[in-house]
Structures are given as structure tokens and as C-alpha cells.
């Protein structure tokens, strides 16, 4: 089982982090990664609006529970890879590329989100919405993913 | 109103109370432990949330970063933020020691051991990783306290253009406050040493360089002779 790569997209659709974890992957130029992130952001926005059913039953106003916002693309599977998209409540998106048979991808993404909130969001030198350049985040991420790939 | 006024005790009992001075009451509880003997936080482990500290400390660093001229200046500001904490902790921690060892440290070694064990345990729940004296004969006033993974730096990654900076300057300020309060004026600075071969294991390793003023060393030599 191999985790291939991680991409983090900010809420405006900008690429803020990209990292490969496996050897021998096809590389894109920096520009292409930015385009990929922007494109995915747009497609994701469209998919949150898509619904094959008419929304007849509007939620009753008496209820205190707010319905979950539409999540858009969550998983994209192909013959060669599986793309898991995790969108946080603030709109940051974590895209994890893995092998199609990789188990527990949601747990892995959850753990990566945890590392992000610890080592990026608690870092006083990180500016919000800007590219992530945090040494300790890189280190912890590799420390976490490497054992998964060698299993 | 008038009926609730307390009856004045006879003068004799007042005097005897003042003499004993340990009459049970708000100020002197019957078990002899005052509010200074234990933390205000009554939870079982007496620990605080590291996340909330990390956010608070992050804001302290951002605050110190405003209108600074350089890294030296920023470290100085963090140091100044820690200094009063050190002054107060010296008193508080000595007060909490058992009466036998409550005296103020009188020698450099005793002071540094107080810092690396009691102060470090109070702040970080573990002793410091090493305490060394400078091996250079030209600088006998220098001592080094190492911490492999300073708690304050846990979530902090310093950008490359500021690689001289170590935010543990705040802890250095606390140590400096303890030294100053104990009558051992010193300059304490924090230095990152987690580079090179040791960096693999402890990338955040920090050395606190304690540089005592010359008069402290002079006094120490005089005390040693007598």
C-alpha cells in the first residue's frame, strides 16, 4: 500500500502545499500544480451544487440542527490511483493520492489534518492562506507517512 | 448592622494570637498549607492544555515581532517577557520546598541545579537534559543548560531567513530572572544546536548559555577559599 502524494488547497483555490511520498512519480511543473489546484477547486465548487433530486423538502425552521453543507467530491477513483478529498469547515482542502486498495484513507487524512493544525496553525511565523513552509510540519508528515508506505 | 459587629476579644488573647502567628484561619489553614503551597489549578494532574499555551505563546511571539529592528531585538523582547516570571517563580518554588531546603541557593552550582531540576519540573514536568560548565578556560563564568526539545518551540518552525532566532529566548528570560532574583546577575541566551549529526535525533535541541557577571565568579572564588 502506498500513499503517493498530498496537496493542500486554501479556501481561495490556491495551492499552499504539495509533497510526494513515493519514488518514481510523474512530476509536474510548479505552474501545473497551481493549475491543477485551481481546477480542482472549481470542479469541487460545482459538485457541491450538483444534486440529481429536486430539493422539495426544505428543512423545517423549528429544528435547531443545521444540515451538513454539501460536501462535493469526496473520493475519485481510477484504475491507478484513488484521490481522497477532505474539506475542512473553513474550506481548506486536503487531497491525498493513494493506491486504489489503500485502507483507512479517511483516518490518514484525519491524522494529516491534525498535524496541519498543530504544526502549521500554531506556528507564529505562518501567514494564513500563504504557502506552507514549516520545517517541523514536513518532518512530522514524513515521519507519519513513511511507515505507512513501507508496510 | 450594629448587632453583627464582632465582639472585641480581650487584649490578652489578641496578644497571644499575634505571638503564635499560626492560628488556624484563612491565612493559616490548620494543615499549615497556604494558597501558595499548591497550584490554583486543582485538576488531578495539575497540567494545562498545551494547545492553549501554544496559541498564547504564538501570539506573544507575534506581538514581540511588531516593530522590531532585528532578530537580536526580537529575542531581547521575548527575554524581557520571561524575566518577571523567573523573579516570581524563584520565590514561589522556594516557598513550596520542604522547610529544610527552603534557603536561597548560595552557590552557582546549587542555583543551576535548582533551575535544571525544580524550575524545569515545575514548568515542563521534566528535568533539563544536561547541565555543563564551559570547558574553555577563558570563560569560567559560562554554564550551559541543554534541552533536547523545548516545550515552547514544539510547534514553531522558524523561517530560513531568521534562522538565528530561537523563541526559547522566553525561557532564557525566565532563567535570567531566577538568576537575578537569587543575587547572581547573569545574561542568559538561547541557541539552537540541532544541526549536523545530532540534528537527526533532536532537531530542536537548544542550549541556554548562562553567562554570570564577573563579580559573581569573584565572589564564588572567595566563598570557595574560606
Amino acid at each position: 500500500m502506498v500513499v503517493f502524494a498530498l496537496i493542500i488547497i486554501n479556501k481561495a483555490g490556491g495551492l499552499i502545499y504539495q509533497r510526494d511520498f513515493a519514488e518514481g512519480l510523474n512530476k509536474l511543473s510548479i505552474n501545473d500544480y497551481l493549475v491543477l489546484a485551481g481546477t480542482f477547486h472549481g470542479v469541487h465548487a460545482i459538485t457541491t451544487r450538483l444534486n440529481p433530486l429536486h430539493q422539495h423538502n426544505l428543512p423545517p425552521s423549528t429544528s435547531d440542527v443545521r444540515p451538513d453543507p454539501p460536501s462535493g467530491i469526496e473520493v475519485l477513483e481510477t484504475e491507478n490511483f484513488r484521490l481522497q478529498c477532505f474539506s475542512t469547515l473553513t474550506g481548506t482542502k486536503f487531497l491525498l493520492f493513494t493506491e486504489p486498495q489503500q485502507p483507512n484513507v479517511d483516518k490518514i487524512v484525519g491524522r494529516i489534518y491534525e498535524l496541519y493544525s498543530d504544526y502549521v496553525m500554531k506556528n507564529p511565523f505562518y501567514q494564513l492562506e500563504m504557502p506552507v513552509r514549516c520545517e517541523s510540519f514536513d518532518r512530522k508528515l514524513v515521519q507519519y507517512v513513511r511507515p505507512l508506505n513501507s508496510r | 448592622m450594629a448587632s453583627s459587629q464582632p465582639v472585641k476579644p480581650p487584649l490578652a488573647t489578641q496578644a497571644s494570637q499575634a505571638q503564635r502567628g499560626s492560628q488556624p484561619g484563612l491565612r493559616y489553614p490548620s494543615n499549615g498549607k497556604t494558597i501558595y503551597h499548591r497550584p490554583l489549578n486543582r485538576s488531578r494532574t495539575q497540567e494545562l492544555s498545551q494547545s492553549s499555551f501554544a496559541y498564547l505563546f504564538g501570539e506573544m511571539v507575534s506581538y514581540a515581532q511588531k516593530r522590531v529592528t532585528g532578530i537580536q531585538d526580537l529575542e531581547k523582547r521575548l527575554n524581557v517577557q520571561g524575566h518577571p516570571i523567573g523573579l516570581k517563580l524563584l520565590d514561589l518554588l522556594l516557598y513550596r520546598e520542604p522547610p529544610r531546603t527552603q534557603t536561597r541557593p548560595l552557590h552557582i552550582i546549587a542555583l543551576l541545579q535548582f533551575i535544571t531540576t525544580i524550575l524545569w519540573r515545575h514548568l515542563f514536568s521534566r528535568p533539563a537534559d544536561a547541565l555543563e560548565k564551559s570547558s574553555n578556560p577563558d570563560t569560567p563564568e559560562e554554564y550551559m543548560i541543554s534541552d533536547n526539545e523545548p516545550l515552547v518551540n514544539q510547534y514553531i518552525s522558524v523561517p530560513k531567513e531568521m534562522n538565528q532566532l530561537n523563541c526559547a529566548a522566553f525561557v532564557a528570560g525566565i532563567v535570567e530572572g531566577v538568576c537575578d532574583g537569587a543575587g547572581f546577575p547573569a545574561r542568559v541566551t538561547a541557541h539552537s544546536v540541532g544541526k549536523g549529526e545530532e540534528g537527526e535525533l533532536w532537531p530542536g535541541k537548544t542550549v541556554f548559555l548562562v553567562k554570570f557577571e564577573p563579580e559573581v565568579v569573584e565572589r564564588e572564588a572567595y566563598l570557595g577559599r574560606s
Side-chain angles (χ1 to χ4, degrees):
Chain A
M1 297 301 108
V2 183
V3 176
F4 292 133
L6 171 74
I7 285 180
I8 304 178
I9 303 172
N10 71 11
K11 59 170 166 251
L15 179 80
I16 55 171
Y17 192 79
Q18 183 277 321
R19 193 177 184 94
D20 292 345
F21 299 110
E23 298 290 316
L25 298 180
N26 290 327
K27 299 278 177 199
L28 294 177
S29 72
I30 306 277
N31 220 8
D32 288 345
Y33 275 117
L34 287 168
V35 172
L36 177 68
T39 310
F40 185 87
H41 183 76
V43 171
H44 187 272
I46 293 169
T47 55
T48 57
R49 301 296 190 87
L50 287 181
N51 190 344
L53 302 174
H54 287 295
Q55 282 203 314
H56 287 303
N57 43 350
L58 285 169
S61 56
T62 49
S63 162
D64 291 342
V65 220
R66 189 185 291 210
D68 281 337
S71 68
I73 294 181
E74 284 182 4
V75 182
L76 194 146
E77 262 184 323
T78 75
E79 195 181 342
N80 302 317
F81 72 93
R82 174 192 159 106
L83 164 60
Q84 176 96 19
C85 170
F86 172 70
S87 185
T88 69
L89 287 176
T90 49
T92 308
K93 281 186 276 295
F94 291 74
L95 308 188
L96 194 69
F97 297 81
T98 62
E99 273 191 334
Q101 303 87 12
Q102 176 80 29
N104 294 330
V105 182
D106 47 345
K107 293 232 177 64
I108 299 174
V109 181
R111 176 75 187 132
I112 290 174
Y113 180 37
E114 225 171 85
L115 291 174
Y116 171 84
S117 47
D118 270 352
Y119 292 93
V120 179
M121 299 316 284
K122 289 176 191 164
N123 182 359
F125 299 103
Y126 174 67
Q127 287 168 314
L128 283 178
E129 310 295 324
M130 295 302 279
V132 177
R133 281 198 204 87
C134 300
E135 212 182 300
S136 47
F137 178 62
D138 287 344
R139 201 163 46 233
K140 294 285 167 181
L141 197 60
V142 172
Q143 256 175 33
Y144 172 63
V145 175
R146 197 183 284 157
L148 293 176
N149 281 353
S150 60
R151 241 187 280 159
Chain B
M1 283 299 263
S3 65
S4 70
Q5 223 170 19
V7 183
K8 245 187 190 169
L11 275 174
T13 46
Q14 242 183 352
S16 73
Q17 267 182 22
Q19 267 174 9
R20 270 180 289 158
S22 55
Q23 184 75 18
L26 251 185
R27 192 174 291 235
Y28 293 105
S30 51
N31 61 1
K33 300 266 183 188
T34 67
I35 57 168
Y36 306 112
H37 278 101
R38 48 169 175 68
L40 290 174
N41 176 8
R42 299 271 200 101
S43 60
R44 196 174 51 82
T45 52
Q46 295 176 349
E47 283 172 352
L48 297 171
S49 150
Q50 197 183 349
S51 286
S52 43
F53 175 75
Y55 282 119
L56 180 65
F57 188 66
E59 283 309 307
M60 285 165 63
V61 173
S62 310
Y63 178 77
Q65 229 182 335
K66 280 179 191 146
R67 295 187 295 279
V68 286
T69 49
I71 287 163
Q72 294 262 314
D73 196 18
L74 176 54
E75 287 199 332
K76 178 75 195 155
R77 282 179 189 222
L78 286 172
N79 189 298
V80 167
Q81 286 183 349
H83 194 269
I85 300 177
L87 282 176
K88 289 170 189 166
L89 275 182
L90 173 71
D91 274 344
L92 180 69
L93 293 178
L94 283 176
Y95 190 71
R96 282 185 188 166
E97 284 294 285
R100 196 166 35 82
T101 53
Q102 233 175 30
T103 51
R104 185 167 66 78
L106 297 179
H107 294 277
I108 287 179
I109 294 298
L111 173 72
L112 291 173
Q113 265 165 1
F114 171 80
I115 289 170
T116 52
T117 55
I118 294 164
L119 177 74
W120 236 257
R121 272 215 184 88
H122 174 77
L123 292 173
F124 313 123
S125 308
R126 61 179 170 80
D129 292 301
L131 168 62
E132 294 160 77
K133 189 181 191 311
S134 166
S135 54
N136 186 348
D138 298 334
T139 55
E141 76 279 17
E142 289 186 355
Y143 291 82
M144 288 167 294
I145 301 169
S146 327
D147 195 317
N148 289 342
E149 212 178 359
L151 180 128
V152 294
N153 284 355
Q154 172 130 35
Y155 300 124
I156 295 181
S157 318
V158 176
K160 280 203 176 61
E161 63 270 18
M162 301 172 83
N163 62 359
Q164 290 298 306
L165 174 72
N166 189 329
C167 292
F170 174 67
V171 180
I174 298 178
V175 174
E176 195 174 312
V178 171
C179 292
D180 287 356
F184 290 79
R187 290 277 302 116
V188 185
T189 45
H191 305 273
S192 310
V193 291
K195 311 247 153 58
E197 74 274 16
E198 252 186 316
E200 284 295 309
L201 196 55
W202 303 112
K205 183 167 177 172
T206 297
V207 164
F208 298 95
L209 184 66
V210 186
K211 195 171 171 139
F212 290 104
E213 298 292 328
E215 66 261 27
V216 175
V217 183
E218 203 179 313
R219 181 181 65 199
E220 187 83 1
Y222 181 76
L223 283 174
R225 249 185 279 129
S226 59

